[in-house]
Amino acid sequence: HLQRLSFIRHARGLAFEITEIRSLLDLADHPNRDCAEADRIARDHLRTVEEKIPLLTALRDELSRNVGVCRGRQ
């Protein structure tokens, strides 16, 4: 049970949805099943992460500019 909870916590930390985690746990419970579903989940999550990278980069740049501006006022 501890391994499952640790996996769930780790997956949530990586922003996996509960339904995705449930599917991955179900696949882990049935290791003889085809892993195409796990591949699909990983591909979809990778696509989501790649879409967020430019947004996060822009956010980082904006926050960096704001920090610099505020630092100059002190």
Side-chain angles (χ1 to χ4, degrees):
H1 293 290
L2 188 57
Q3 280 184 324
R4 285 176 81 87
L5 289 173
S6 178
F7 174 80
I8 292 167
R9 183 177 47 191
H10 183 67
R12 289 299 294 153
L14 295 173
F16 278 91
E17 298 293 329
I18 295 295
T19 55
E20 294 170 327
I21 296 169
R22 190 175 293 126
S23 293
L24 291 171
L25 287 171
D26 186 55
L27 288 167
D29 290 340
H30 302 94
N32 294 329
R33 287 186 21 205
D34 182 20
C35 63
E37 177 68 8
D39 283 346
R40 184 198 62 75
I41 292 168
R43 270 194 315 275
D44 290 348
H45 198 66
L46 177 60
R47 185 175 29 257
T48 300
V49 167
E50 288 174 340
E51 290 170 356
K52 288 180 181 179
I53 289 173
L55 299 171
L56 290 170
T57 300
L59 176 60
R60 181 198 61 205
D61 294 346
E62 181 66 24
L63 290 171
S64 293
R65 281 190 298 276
N66 288 337
V67 167
V69 168
C70 291
R71 205 179 287 151
R73 290 184 192 163
Q74 293 179 357

